[in-house]
Amino acid sequence: MFSVTVPAFVAGTESYALSTNHDVDIPDRTEQFQGNSFSINSAARANLAETVSVTATAPEGKSIDLFVYNGDGEIVAFGFSGTGTTTFDITLNGNDFTPSPTAGTYALVLQQSGTIVSVKPLIIRGYSVSNIDSPQKITTGDNITVTANIDKIHNKNKSSVEMVVANNGTSTPVASASENSDDEYEATISTESLSNGSYDIYIAVRGSEKVLGENELLGISDPVAIELTSEEQQNTPSPPDTPPESPTTPGPSPPDTNDSTPTPSPPSNINESTQLADPDGTATFENPGINSVSNISFSNVTGTVSVANVATPPDNTPSTNLTDGISNITYVELNASVSNDVSEAAVNISLANNTFNDPSDVTVYRYNENTDEYSRLNTSSKSSDDTVYIEFTTPGFSKFAIGETSNINRTGPAIVGDNPATDPDDDQQFEDINGDGKANFDDVVTFAFKITTNAVQENADLFDFNDDNDVNFDDVIELAFTLPT
């Protein structure tokens, strides 16, 4: 995670900085903001309706305030105050912004007693940058040609696309990119003025408004590494990885370990997009193709819906309750800025069939911020030769994990008669104590009476609902509060 450093004259020797869970490294630059100079080497990059966690680092006991400014120097989000190092959650919608935000560049501004002590750009994406094709190594002096796909995800027009080459964070040449075909852009830049070494390439999409002294960013790629070397270095043969083998007498061939089970491809990246829901409450994504959300249906609401890729697993979410028996996981984040509360939404996603060994075992899990766990959602799927079509219903928007559940153990020991306890939500905790296929208050009562039995105590890991490595009446209480009423 990258930070913004503040010149010493602003706040003496005291350390103030801003970082977020959506930081992306950008070329170093010094910018003026309301009369002070700030060295900037990262920006927060997020989609409309996403929540950005902003950590403001400050000395202990110092009161701080966080504001968001637009390109006109106006405060559009405020009310974030704390003492010492504090983390603030800012949602990029009309709840936290006045007026509601649009795609473009904003400024996160940290103040201490009215003095600005740190600044970080906040990029609300209007365009996604993907499929960057760049050489990894090139001879110094040659031209670098890079292509990338630029896709519009929000209703704001770009003014330019450019390629930036940076060394140790410092921006060097910049080249304008031109459109080759639909949404594909190409830029070529000379390396004659550069020295041998490691560089980063960025693709930036800019709008026409000025923010922090530059045309606003509507999108920026992650850095792509490239190495510049002399022609002599490129022609120098590398030493062999292993010494030559000595002659040996041929022996029997090793057994053929190949079986008929196909190896699935790596987890997919979901195509990112933003769409406005129709009056009937359906957001339909045009030409979705494979690895895309095709539509999301609400009930009697309209609003903007965004689809974003996230890390694997997403930052600040647990992976522990997804690791037992769930494989080939793809993560995606869905957010919406809607006019009414959403009680339920139906989502359709298409993934490549070879993402999974058995597409019929695909299940979707939703991350719940209140419990800090993933919970299983009602999921249906069908597949064709190259695509698995997945439909699920969710009670709200969040991060989602799409995985294969063929290896999950869903039955436990028999607690009541011959009926084995079951795990209805695939979290490897067996809430259905009486084995009737449902988890409800009857199971709490049964658990209270059966907690001291061998069937429970000898399988403590299955019934330790409060995760304290012991099974006792505290787990009965925990089960009572976690089950639906």
Side-chain angles (χ1 to χ4, degrees):
M1 191 167 287
F2 306 94
S3 61
V4 176
T5 56
V6 182
F9 69 83
V10 175
T13 59
E14 297 169 332
S15 177
Y16 293 86
L18 289 170
S19 61
T20 81
N21 62 336
H22 286 270
D23 275 2
V24 58
D25 195 14
I26 62 175
D28 290 358
R29 68 178 192 263
T30 299
E31 296 294 351
Q32 296 289 321
F33 187 83
Q34 296 194 358
N36 291 320
S37 296
F38 297 91
S39 177
I40 297 174
N41 57 19
S42 71
R45 181 189 62 189
N47 294 321
L48 280 169
E50 279 191 293
T51 297
V52 178
S53 294
V54 182
T55 298
T57 301
E60 185 177 355
K62 293 290 186 179
S63 297
I64 54 173
D65 297 284
L66 180 68
F67 301 90
V68 181
Y69 284 73
N70 64 14
D72 295 326
E74 302 167 336
I75 295 175
V76 292
F78 59 92
F80 305 98
S81 301
T83 302
T85 298
T86 308
T87 297
F88 306 100
D89 287 337
I90 302 177
T91 302
L92 308 182
N93 60 18
N95 293 331
D96 286 345
F97 278 67
T98 303
S100 295
T102 60
T105 304
Y106 296 76
L108 297 169
V109 178
L110 183 65
Q111 292 189 13
Q112 199 280 314
S113 298
T115 299
I116 297 175
V117 292
S118 189
V119 172
K120 176 186 285 290
L122 166 63
I123 303 167
I124 300 181
R125 297 197 311 166
Y127 291 82
S128 66
V129 182
S130 61
N131 300 328
I132 299 174
D133 187 6
S134 166
Q136 295 180 332
K137 184 178 290 188
I138 194 169
T139 300
T140 303
D142 289 350
N143 290 339
I144 304 172
T145 298
V146 177
T147 61
N149 288 107
I150 309 297
D151 296 304
K152 191 173 188 177
I153 59 176
H154 194 68
N155 189 25
K156 193 167 188 178
N157 293 328
K158 63 184 181 297
S159 63
S160 65
V161 177
E162 62 188 29
M163 179 175 74
V164 182
V165 180
N167 176 256
N168 293 325
T170 302
S171 178
T172 42
V174 177
S176 296
S178 57
E179 189 170 9
N180 283 346
S181 58
D182 289 345
D183 300 327
E184 183 182 84
Y185 283 74
E186 179 178 291
T188 299
I189 200 164
S190 172
T191 64
E192 288 185 354
S193 62
L194 304 180
S195 303
N196 293 350
S198 299
Y199 292 80
D200 288 321
I201 291 175
Y202 299 84
I203 305 296
V205 184
R206 293 193 179 275
S208 57
E209 297 179 15
K210 294 283 187 180
V211 178
L212 294 175
E214 294 186 339
N215 279 25
E216 64 175 343
L217 285 168
L218 299 177
I220 189 169
S221 70
D222 290 328
V224 176
I226 188 171
E227 188 77 17
L228 296 189
T229 62
S230 65
E231 189 170 357
E232 291 79 7
Q233 287 176 306
Q234 295 214 26
N235 292 332
T236 302
S238 301
D241 293 333
T242 57
E245 295 183 1
S246 301
T248 58
T249 301
S253 299
D256 185 4
T257 58
N258 185 36
D259 56 34
S260 59
T261 302
T263 300
S265 299
S268 302
N269 283 328
I270 302 293
N271 295 327
E272 299 185 328
S273 187
T274 297
Q275 292 292 334
L276 185 67
D278 296 332
D280 65 356
T282 299
T284 302
F285 297 80
E286 297 180 0
N287 303 317
I290 299 177
N291 299 336
S292 299
V293 173
S294 54
N295 65 71
I296 302 176
S297 299
F298 311 100
S299 177
N300 301 319
V301 299
T302 58
T304 300
V305 184
S306 66
V307 178
N309 282 312
V310 289
T312 306
D315 296 335
N316 303 320
T317 68
S319 62
T320 52
N321 70 318
L322 283 178
T323 55
D324 293 332
I326 302 176
S327 57
N328 305 323
I329 302 174
T330 292
Y331 293 91
V332 65
E333 183 166 8
L334 304 178
N335 287 289
S337 175
V338 296
S339 58
N340 298 310
D341 291 336
V342 177
S343 58
E344 190 173 86
V347 183
N348 290 273
I349 291 181
S350 303
L351 291 178
N353 210 339
N354 61 2
T355 304
F356 310 103
N357 282 316
D358 185 354
S360 65
D361 282 325
V362 173
T363 302
V364 179
Y365 297 80
R366 174 181 176 266
Y367 174 63
N368 187 323
E369 293 183 356
N370 295 325
T371 62
D372 194 32
E373 290 185 341
Y374 285 88
S375 57
R376 184 183 183 187
L377 300 177
N378 289 329
T379 308
S380 63
S381 63
K382 60 181 180 179
S383 59
S384 64
D385 291 340
D386 59 357
T387 308
V388 54
Y389 302 94
I390 304 161
E391 182 174 356
F392 63 93
T393 302
T394 175
F397 294 95
S398 183
K399 298 177 178 69
F400 297 84
I402 307 168
E404 190 172 357
T405 59
S406 56
N407 297 321
I408 286 182
N409 176 26
R410 295 188 177 92
T411 58
I415 307 299
V416 178
D418 295 329
N419 296 329
T422 70
D423 176 17
D425 57 2
D426 291 346
D427 65 352
Q428 296 296 281
Q429 291 184 326
F430 285 64
E431 298 91 347
D432 174 23
I433 305 295
N434 60 16
D436 64 355
K438 298 176 291 185
N440 52 35
F441 196 73
D442 290 343
D443 296 291
V444 176
V445 176
T446 301
F447 191 36
F449 281 100
K450 298 289 186 177
I451 196 168
T452 59
T453 62
N454 291 338
V456 172
Q457 294 299 320
E458 291 174 2
N459 298 278
D461 58 321
L462 306 182
F463 304 104
D464 181 19
F465 298 112
N466 63 358
D467 296 320
D468 65 352
N469 298 316
D470 190 17
V471 177
N472 51 38
F473 200 75
D474 290 341
D475 295 289
V476 177
I477 297 173
E478 182 70 19
L479 178 63
F481 279 101
T482 58
L483 291 182
T485 56

